[in-house]
Amino acid sequence: TITTSRKKHLLCLPDKLLVVTVATKETDGFRRFLRSAKHFNYTVKVLGRGQKWKGGDYMSAPGGGQKVKLLKAALEKMKDKEKIILFIDSYDVVFASGPKELLKKFQQARHKVVFSSETLIWPDRHLEDKYPHVREGNRFLGSGGFIGYLPNIKEMVTGWDGENHESDQLFFTKLYINPEKRKAVNMTIDSKCRLFQNLHGALDEVVLKFEDGRVRARNVLYDTLPVIIHGNGPTKVHINYLGNYIPKVWTFETGCTVCHEDLRPLTGLKVCYPLVVIGIFIQQPTPFVTVFFERLLKLRYPKNRLKLFIYNQEPHHEQQVSSFLHDYGNLYQDVKFIGPEEEMDSATSRNVGFDMCRQDKDCEYFFNLDIEVVLKNEDTLKIVVEQNLPIVAPMITRVGRLWSNFWGALSAEGYYARSEDYVDIVQGRRGVWNVPYVSSVFLVKGSLLRSELSEHDLFTSDVLDPDMAFCDKVRSKGVFMYATNMHTFGRILSTENYETQHLHNDLWQIFENTLDWEERYIHENYTRIMKDKLIETPCPDVYWFPIFSDIACNHLVEEMEHFGQWSGGGNKDTRIQGGYENVPTIDIHMNQVGYEKEWHKLLLDYVAPITEKMYPGYYTKAQFDLAFVVRYKPDEQPSLRPHHDASTFTINIALNEVGHDYQGGGCRFLRYNCSIQAPRKGWALMHPGRLTHYHEGLPTTAGVRYIAVSFVDP
């Protein structure tokens, strides 16, 4: 026997402690376990490496006997009676503190063997009455973790003669509920979770506690700080959440401490970039598809190290895809295209995309990229490859909303649930986060597709959507998925309310995808108007400023010509109130093409702020009676006679380029004998409409001139 004073001495020597665990495979969870053990300088002995696991699946049924068999064999070789053994699971376990605290709490338990405790009885509920009662805390034994002296643990497992698939939990339970055997081994359970915290049945009891540059899990029911956290049973997602912080993975003082570990640098002259298959998936009508392909071309990654898999289910986008492939397909090492005519469903297309990488031994990564993803960061692919993780998603969000391409938690049914840190992560708590679900844009290691994820139907399910089915299967394999927000990557488009009946449907996206609409259609210098004093005054009280991009001008002109119902230029005009136009033009009104709401938002958001700056004291809600596109042609209507506009102020935007598209044209203000004869494409003239600014449209002598005109009142 060991004297009390000698025992206290032993407990002060962490080198007397040996952590023993079973790991037949080096999973992501096992690597996390080892990292936390190394952080606290635990000595770890791993049993079963390279062996086939025959201990069953204890997520759904009893099992684990193989662990006891391996432990029993390992203990027989150990002779030091003063050795203290900590036997724990490793795939779903994290250390929250070091050997010194563990040994101190073990000593305070006043028993030779201490098991973890649980709130739920498993696997045989009929044994409940035989469990000894405890004054406070959990009654039931958990076999996922115990600590004790070598001789006592040897004695405890000596009676094991079960099969690999039999239940270790049941074996230890029967020892514990037998008073004689319990006394002989001198065993107890850690009922208040001072040493061990099993999460199953206790999720509401456990919170994160941030203290002094480290993170603990706190059991709020018993006000304890357990040393070992175990995500037993169906709590794998929650141990992954806690493992994002414990023991010092992320703290308020340091931020992320592991985000720059085990990277795969792609800098340096001699680096050979890994081969990546980019899978592009078009499943519904989506705005700004042309812009998507423009951004794809700008990705800073050698195109001869990229292969493309493009799946397009949407006939509406056939022209855009074929145009991209015709112009740029030969830049890539290989391209595989599946069009609408093949009638392949979404899940199958993603399985086939994975196969393109899986069957190519040179393919090191598959980069999933849905068409609604807006990748603003041209280094995105390079960054996620450098992370060197099994599956990693660059975090993207939807503008103005908390929607993102990852979930922080799952509901009991396996659907979306919001984790406590979700909002913080979406809004910029920087890190690389272990999450239960990723979608839209993510990178998968090719080696993973040829090993743990070798099934050819990862996206197929009778009950789940393809993205959820994939993530469910990934989780079931113990493979970790990560979302990184260490950089700003981009955003995701809304595809709701996207209409396809127009020629240039993206013009109508000013409400649904305002930022993307602005980047596409508002002049690149618009935001600098005030700061850099870009507003010019070519005539008294006439202001000239950039508003539309070249593409906006082109699309608006093409949309009107595609509509084609130009007015005849006569005084009779049934489109306006009263049916009579005093100074008619050949034009198409915005409401004829269903663009009046969008045009009003343009005036309100982009014109009104300038109006209020240039005409102090004047505020407008940008209401307009008339907004239209005018066409001037020498053989149709070359000019417009002097007139006042029926407006408080008028906006006149030049939609094409003098000297290139037409000759002549311009506007002359008679009162000031002042002309603007070279209107700049995309620039707006703003001037008072009534009383002071009597003006005329100067003759267009060649080509065709287009302008967009708005009569605006308060």
Side-chain angles (χ1 to χ4, degrees):
T1 59
I2 303 169
T3 66
T4 303
S5 60
R6 177 75 175 134
K7 190 189 297 181
K8 287 181 179 177
H9 172 66
L10 286 173
L11 290 168
C12 293
L13 296 174
D15 61 335
K16 286 294 181 183
L17 174 68
L18 178 65
V19 179
V20 180
T21 190
V22 172
T24 54
K25 283 201 309 186
E26 285 211 11
T27 65
D28 296 328
F30 177 69
R31 284 185 281 271
R32 174 182 61 193
F33 166 80
L34 285 185
R35 188 174 66 216
S36 72
K38 182 181 177 183
H39 179 79
F40 293 111
N41 294 317
Y42 283 99
T43 302
V44 180
K45 182 177 180 64
V46 182
L47 308 178
R49 279 187 197 261
Q51 295 187 22
K52 185 175 181 182
W53 175 250
K54 300 175 182 176
D57 172 18
Y58 32 146
M59 280 281 285
S60 54
Q66 187 176 357
K67 293 192 301 180
V68 188
K69 185 177 179 180
L70 288 166
L71 175 64
K72 183 179 177 181
L75 294 179
E76 286 171 359
K77 299 174 185 175
M78 299 182 193
K79 306 302 180 188
D80 184 355
K81 294 182 179 181
E82 297 178 345
K83 183 72 77 178
I84 297 169
I85 302 295
L86 170 65
F87 188 64
I88 48 173
D89 291 349
S90 54
Y91 294 167
D92 49 10
V93 167
V94 174
F95 285 105
S97 191
K100 191 172 180 182
E101 180 179 335
L102 178 71
L103 291 171
K104 181 181 178 183
K105 288 179 174 178
F106 172 51
Q107 177 192 3
Q108 291 168 344
R110 300 181 183 280
H111 286 75
K112 300 286 182 67
V113 177
V114 180
F115 271 82
S116 69
S117 69
E118 297 202 39
T119 59
L120 306 170
I121 187 167
W122 166 265
D124 187 349
R125 286 184 293 130
H126 298 99
L127 298 177
E128 181 174 352
D129 292 342
K130 297 185 178 180
Y131 264 91
H133 284 275
V134 295
R135 249 184 310 180
E136 186 183 8
N138 301 327
R139 277 181 68 195
F140 307 117
L141 174 145
S143 64
F146 56 84
I147 185 171
Y149 290 98
L150 177 61
N152 302 76
I153 293 180
K154 271 188 176 181
E155 181 182 349
M156 186 173 67
V157 300
T158 191
W160 172 266
D161 57 2
E163 298 295 325
N164 287 334
H165 65 274
E166 292 183 29
S167 172
D168 61 331
Q169 175 96 358
L170 190 59
F171 171 73
F172 291 124
T173 295
K174 287 181 176 179
L175 283 177
Y176 180 66
I177 63 177
N178 183 316
E180 293 171 4
K181 291 181 179 178
R182 184 167 73 243
K183 186 175 181 182
V185 175
N186 193 1
M187 62 193 293
T188 188
I189 63 169
D190 176 33
S191 57
K192 292 186 183 177
C193 306
R194 300 179 75 245
L195 291 86
F196 305 95
Q197 176 67 64
N198 288 312
L199 294 176
H200 188 31
L203 293 182
D204 292 339
E205 300 169 14
V206 180
V207 298
L208 287 169
K209 183 176 190 293
F210 294 86
E211 55 172 32
D212 303 327
R214 62 184 287 196
V215 188
R216 300 290 298 260
R218 176 171 172 250
N219 186 303
V220 295
L221 189 60
Y222 307 120
D223 196 20
T224 53
L225 296 172
V227 176
I228 295 150
I229 318 300
H230 182 198
N232 58 321
T235 63
K236 308 301 179 221
V237 169
H238 203 72
I239 187 66
N240 291 349
Y241 160 71
L242 297 175
N244 283 328
Y245 298 92
I246 299 169
K248 198 178 177 178
V249 178
W250 193 98
T251 73
F252 285 105
E253 292 83 0
T254 63
C256 181
T257 63
V258 300
C259 292
H260 300 290
E261 291 181 4
D262 303 320
L263 298 181
R264 176 180 184 166
L266 291 182
T267 50
L269 295 173
K270 296 185 179 179
V271 171
C272 179
Y273 277 67
L275 180 66
V276 180
V277 171
I278 300 181
I280 297 163
F281 298 91
I282 308 173
Q283 296 178 178
Q284 68 276 319
T286 304
F288 304 108
V289 167
T290 303
V291 184
F292 172 92
F293 284 114
E294 289 171 4
R295 290 204 175 98
L296 181 67
L297 285 167
K298 290 178 182 175
L299 277 182
R300 283 195 278 261
Y301 202 94
K303 291 182 175 50
N304 63 351
R305 302 300 295 159
L306 296 175
K307 294 185 177 183
L308 299 183
F309 173 86
I310 301 179
Y311 164 74
N312 177 28
Q313 177 176 285
E314 183 49 57
H316 176 71
H317 292 309
E318 281 189 282
Q319 188 274 327
Q320 290 153 310
V321 177
S322 61
S323 175
F324 167 76
L325 291 177
H326 176 270
D327 294 341
Y328 305 107
N330 61 345
L331 298 177
Y332 297 89
Q333 192 181 119
D334 190 21
V335 176
K336 181 172 183 177
F337 173 62
I338 295 174
E341 69 283 353
E342 299 194 37
E343 298 183 346
M344 183 181 288
D345 65 68
S346 172
T348 303
S349 74
R350 293 178 187 273
N351 292 330
V352 171
F354 269 14
D355 277 343
M356 183 172 170
C357 178
R358 185 182 283 125
Q359 293 163 7
D360 181 350
K361 61 178 176 36
D362 295 324
C363 175
E364 291 195 54
Y365 295 95
F366 183 91
F367 188 48
N368 184 100
L369 189 57
D370 289 359
I371 197 70
E372 57 267 29
V373 173
V374 178
L375 278 190
K376 294 284 289 177
N377 190 328
E378 295 173 5
D379 289 316
T380 296
L381 180 54
K382 183 169 171 279
I383 290 167
V384 290
V385 167
E386 287 183 323
Q387 285 291 163
N388 197 26
L389 292 167
I391 300 175
V392 58
M395 189 192 81
I396 56 172
T397 57
R398 186 163 289 164
V399 176
R401 293 175 56 186
L402 288 172
W403 190 98
S404 73
N405 64 323
F406 78 94
W407 294 351
L410 294 177
S411 68
E413 296 76 30
Y415 293 93
Y416 170 82
R418 181 173 289 183
S419 62
E420 288 184 23
D421 58 0
Y422 177 81
V423 174
D424 291 329
I425 294 171
V426 169
Q427 293 182 341
R429 178 183 287 182
R430 299 294 186 193
V432 178
W433 309 94
N434 186 332
V435 296
Y437 169 94
V438 295
S439 68
S440 302
V441 53
F442 55 88
L443 188 77
V444 184
K445 277 191 174 178
S447 58
L448 201 59
L449 297 177
R450 293 183 279 272
S451 54
E452 284 95 334
L453 302 181
S454 60
E455 298 168 26
H456 294 275
D457 61 348
L458 292 172
F459 290 91
T460 305
S461 169
D462 293 332
V463 292
L464 297 174
D465 291 340
D467 54 343
M468 292 175 63
F470 167 65
C471 293
D472 181 61
K473 288 172 184 172
V474 170
R475 293 192 303 270
S476 72
K477 300 288 185 183
V479 174
F480 287 174
M481 295 172 278
Y482 295 88
T484 173
N485 66 353
M486 292 293 285
H487 301 79
T488 301
F489 295 102
R491 55 184 178 268
I492 192 157
L493 293 169
S494 168
T495 57
E496 298 166 21
N497 307 315
Y498 186 60
E499 300 175 356
T500 57
Q501 71 266 37
H502 309 288
L503 178 66
H504 293 296
N505 298 282
D506 295 348
L507 279 170
W508 275 257
Q509 286 295 297
I510 189 170
F511 291 104
E512 202 69 48
N513 291 290
T514 305
L515 189 54
D516 298 87
W517 186 92
E518 181 178 297
E519 288 181 357
R520 186 70 163 160
Y521 291 130
I522 293 299
H523 197 286
E524 62 181 355
N525 292 333
Y526 174 83
T527 55
R528 296 171 42 225
I529 284 176
M530 297 303 177
K531 184 179 70 174
D532 294 347
K533 299 180 179 174
L534 297 184
I535 298 179
E536 298 179 19
T537 311
C539 299
D541 283 328
V542 176
Y543 300 105
W544 203 11
F545 55 90
I547 188 163
F548 270 165
S549 67
D550 268 15
I551 291 171
C553 297
N554 296 344
H555 281 191
L556 197 53
V557 168
E558 290 164 14
E559 193 66 48
M560 294 304 181
E561 288 292 1
H562 177 71
F563 179 71
Q565 297 178 29
W566 296 94
S567 66
N571 296 111
K572 186 178 180 182
D573 192 341
T574 56
R575 299 171 302 171
I576 62 175
Q577 192 173 3
Y580 183 84
E581 172 57 68
N582 190 38
V583 188
T585 52
I586 291 178
D587 55 44
I588 295 174
H589 289 190
M590 296 298 177
N591 61 10
Q592 289 179 264
V593 294
Y595 204 64
E596 65 273 24
K597 289 180 182 175
E598 289 76 11
W599 195 258
H600 179 248
K601 184 168 175 61
L602 165 78
L603 295 175
L604 197 60
D605 291 356
Y606 300 97
V607 174
I610 294 172
T611 307
E612 291 165 11
K613 286 282 186 185
M614 305 320 294
Y615 300 122
Y618 178 81
Y619 301 99
T620 178
K621 293 182 179 177
Q623 300 298 326
F624 60 89
D625 283 330
L626 286 177
F628 48 94
V629 171
V630 180
R631 182 173 73 184
Y632 290 114
K633 294 168 72 172
D635 58 351
E636 192 176 65
Q637 181 183 9
S639 59
L640 192 61
R641 65 180 176 82
H643 62 283
H644 282 110
D645 291 336
S647 66
T648 302
F649 69 91
T650 296
I651 299 295
N652 176 336
I653 305 172
L655 297 179
N656 56 349
E657 189 178 345
V658 66
H660 182 271
D661 301 307
Y662 65 91
Q663 302 294 329
C667 182
R668 176 170 172 257
F669 294 93
L670 280 72
R671 178 184 179 117
Y672 309 106
N673 193 25
C674 179
S675 299
I676 298 105
Q677 291 184 307
R680 298 170 195 156
K681 184 177 179 180
W683 281 56
L685 280 174
M686 181 170 69
H687 60 83
R690 300 182 181 90
L691 194 61
T692 56
H693 282 63
Y694 192 56
H695 60 284
E696 64 180 332
L698 299 173
T700 298
T701 57
V704 185
R705 178 187 176 214
Y706 298 93
I707 57 172
V709 178
S710 306
F711 294 162
V712 186
D713 287 308

